[in-house]
Amino acid sequence: MSLPHAILTALLEKPSSGLELTRRFDKSIGYFWSATHQQIYRELGRLEEAGHIRALPSRVPARGQKKEYEVLPAGRAELGDWVGRPEDPKPLRSALLLRMRAAAMVGSSGLRAELARHLDLHRAQLDEYLAIEERDFPAERRRTEPDRLRHLVLRGGVDLERFWVEWLTAALRDLDGLGAGAPEPDC
């Protein structure tokens, strides 16, 4: 249910076309709520049908011209209601953790390389988040509530990446220790 709310949020920040939304998802919202181009266009149609958004009138009529959307009062109200609604955390789904559990049954051949690859990916993502923080959120830019909230979202991403970097580093160390004859945990 969150994709329509992600789109409403993005459109309230700036009216956009579907293509512009896809690009913006790749650079911001997509870090914590990803969506394909097709999913975004499908959801734009649903939101328009529900009366939550509308296509802005075109300045110059042209066939095949991209539509730019804005949020209507009903869409703003829906987003406001959604922000305050309780929602339980979703269970973690991680192919990497499942792969590790499977390796306990069939052997860990290739697992170390996959853990190291994930560690590199999380380090790169952490570096990217820290660069965004330095560029977009200097202390003087965190004075308004919207900026503080956006910064908190980014800090959540930073903290999650730090967790994965620390956890993967420890997992690799432990995996190396298992190869040296350490007892295997029973879980």
Side-chain angles (χ1 to χ4, degrees), residues 94-125:
S94 170
L96 181 64
L97 296 177
L98 181 58
R99 187 171 283 131
M100 291 177 74
R101 185 72 182 228
M105 302 308 299
V106 299
S108 61
S109 176
L111 183 61
R112 188 182 199 302
E114 183 64 357
L115 291 173
R117 187 178 77 80
H118 275 255
L119 178 57
D120 289 342
L121 292 170
H122 284 287
R123 282 180 175 150
Q125 189 65 65

Side-chain angles (χ1 to χ4, degrees), residues 6-116:
I7 291 172
L8 287 170
T9 300
L11 289 174
L12 279 171
E13 291 172 346
K14 180 182 177 207
S16 304
S17 68
L19 181 58
E20 290 166 340
L21 279 173
T22 300
R23 289 180 181 148
R24 288 177 53 213
F25 263 69
D26 288 345
K27 294 178 184 173
S28 63
I29 291 174
Y31 286 127
F32 53 91
W33 196 269
S34 62
T36 66
H37 187 76
Q38 291 85 359
Q39 289 171 317
I40 290 171
Y41 273 95
R42 195 170 30 246
E43 201 56 54
L44 284 170
R46 289 182 187 135
L47 287 167
E48 193 170 23
E49 272 182 34
H52 291 160
I53 65 171
R54 73 175 178 126
L56 292 170
S58 175
R59 292 184 193 117
V60 180
R63 202 173 124 161
Q65 185 177 8
K66 66 181 180 180
K67 290 182 187 177
E68 194 169 82
Y69 295 91
E70 71 175 353
V71 177
L72 295 171
R76 181 179 281 276
E78 167 56 29
L79 191 59
D81 290 345
W82 178 76
V83 165
R85 250 182 254 150
E87 186 172 322
D88 293 339
K90 302 289 184 232
L92 175 66
R93 291 178 61 174
S94 170
L96 181 64
L97 296 177
L98 181 58
R99 187 171 283 131
M100 291 177 74
R101 185 72 182 228
M105 302 308 299
V106 299
S108 61
S109 176
L111 183 61
R112 188 182 199 302
E114 183 64 357
L115 291 173

